[in-house]
């Protein structure tokens, strides 16, 4: 591999190039599909509680609107930049196509550490950001959702800011809202629930019993925590989890760990053992679930991975050289655009419910999530077998292929 430049955008573009080649698409298709349709960078002024004003960079990228309004999360993290936002918006495009949701793909965010914000600073920042991107969002244009560093409270403020400007309530402008504002039952746990379904199915394919299967999870946020709970409920054993401050193993159950985490804001459960994030990646487990940030499994870390299956809860956690090493080691990788699609699937349900002003039961959400995810899973498994491709290649061929077909059918204006 040598000194290849690895960044989320380089990873996403190299995956797209692979899919275009495997599908036998043309150079024009490459041009069309590798270009984001609309890129907005905004300055977001923040008045701190002490009266001082600071400026932050905000982004919203609408990578594609070919199959419907664009859709994607809003991330608050100090390291995000335009390139990473483009990469994540591209992944959303293939994910929505793979799962057959009537959406294009988008992503947005602010380059800030939300841990430095008081509640009122967070509200002011979120409202100002929403106001700056207001002209290009809306239920028929582009629908934001939570991502790293944001949650349902941010969505409530975004919905309110948009609605105040419209003059009436527009719940469908964002998803991942609190239930009382038009959120959907089952949205909070949806990404983790989907990760668990993908894990269960991958174990089946590999012939490993689900009961007692050993799982390690990197990241204990909105995706990692709910995935941990869901796999535990399916009978698997969560051996270790971690967050930005490192990992922990030897705890009695995910529930016990979560109870401690909620009150103490750390993973130092008495009686449990600490380990580093790197040690977690290299544990002797059946399944490794990276559910934190991009670039966790790289040329440097992939070689010592002992798991038989990697289920990508995070977006872009594996770099191309890391991926090649996992492949050589015979490790089955369930790619991000399949494994973490439960979030956008239930976001789609939320948007549908908001449009119809008719709300579903938790059971309906669960059944419909499982049906859509299982259909995508089976298509990926079959395509991988038929084309002799990896699951990532198969998932991208399905997603990219559908967007390319939609482009052809719509034609080019003028
Ligand atoms: P989050 O902010 O709720 O949680 C992120 C977690 O990762 C936290 O526990 C944090 O401590 C941990 N973390 C951060 N840096 C780390 C590091 N260097 N090592 C180990 N852990 C680290 O975010 P989230 O919503 O859970 O998102 C996690 C990933 O899943 C992201 O890649 C996101 O794009 C992706 N994703 C999220 C959703 C969703 O619905 N929230 C849907 C699909 C994909």
């Amino acid at each position: 591999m040598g000194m290849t430049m690895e960044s989320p955008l380089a990873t996403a573009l190299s995956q797209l190039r692979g899919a275009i080649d495997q599908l036998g698409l043309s150079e024009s298709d490459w041009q069309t599909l590798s270009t984001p349709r609309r890129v907005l960078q905004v300055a977001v002024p923040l008045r701190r509680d002490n009266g001082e004003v600071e400026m932050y960079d905000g982004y919203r990228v609408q990578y594609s609107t070919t199959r419907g309004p664009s859709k994607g999360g809003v991330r608050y993290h100090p390291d995000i930049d335009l390139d990473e936002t483009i990469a994540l918006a591209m992944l959303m495009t293939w994910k929505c196509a793979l799962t057959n949701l009537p959406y294009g793909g988008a992503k947005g965010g602010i380059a800030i550490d939300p841990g430095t914000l008081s509640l009122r600073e967070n509200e002011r920042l979120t409202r100002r950001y929403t106001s700056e991107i207001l002209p290009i969002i809306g239920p028929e244009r582009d629908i934001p959702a939570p991502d790293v560093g944001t949650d349902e409270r941010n969505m409530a403020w975004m919905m309110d800011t948009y609605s105040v400007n419209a003059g009436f309530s527009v719940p469908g402008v964002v998803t991942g809202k609190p239930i009382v504002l038009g959120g959907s039952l089952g949205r909070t746990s949806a990404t983790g629930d989907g990760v668990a379904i993908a894990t269960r199915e991958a174990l089946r394919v590999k012939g490993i019993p689900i009961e007692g299967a050993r799982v390690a999870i990197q990241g204990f946020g909105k995706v990692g925590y709910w995935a941990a709970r869901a796999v535990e409920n399916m009978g698997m054993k969560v051996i270790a989890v971690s967050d930005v401050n490192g990992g922990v193993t030897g705890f009695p159950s995910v529930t016990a760990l979560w109870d401690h985490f909620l009150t103490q804001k750390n993973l130092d459960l008495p009686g449990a053992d600490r380990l580093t994030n790197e040690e977690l990646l290299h544990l002797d487990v059946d399944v490794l679930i990276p559910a934190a940030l991009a670039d966790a499994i790289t040329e440097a870390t992939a070689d010592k991975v002992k798991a038989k299956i990697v289920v990508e809860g995070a977006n872009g956690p594996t770099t191309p050289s890391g991926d090649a090493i996992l492949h050589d080691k015979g490790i089955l990788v369930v790619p991000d655009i399949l494994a973490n699609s439960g979030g956008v699937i239930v976001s789609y349900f939320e948007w549908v419910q908001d449009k119809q002003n008719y709300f579903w039961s938790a059971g309906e959400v669960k059944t419909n999530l499982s049906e859509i995810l299982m259909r995508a899973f089976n298509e990926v498994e079959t395509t991988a077998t038929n084309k002799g491709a990896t699951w990532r290649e198969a998932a991208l061929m399905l997603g990219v292929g559908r967007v390319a077909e939609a482009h052809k059918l719509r034609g080019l204006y003028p």
Side-chain angles (χ1 to χ4, degrees), residues 75 95 107 146-149 187 191 218-224 242-244 277 291-293 313-315 340 343:
R75 180 175 293 198
K95 191 185 299 179
K107 204 78 181 191
D147 190 69
V148 176
R187 174 61 184 90
T191 311
Q218 182 195 51
F220 203 54
K222 295 185 293 298
V223 179
S242 67
D243 68 6
V244 67
N277 258 301
L293 297 175
N315 284 310
N340 69 32

Side-chain angles (χ1 to χ4, degrees), residues 19-26 29:
I20 299 243
D21 293 344
Q22 281 176 305
L23 288 163
L25 295 177
S26 67
D29 291 317

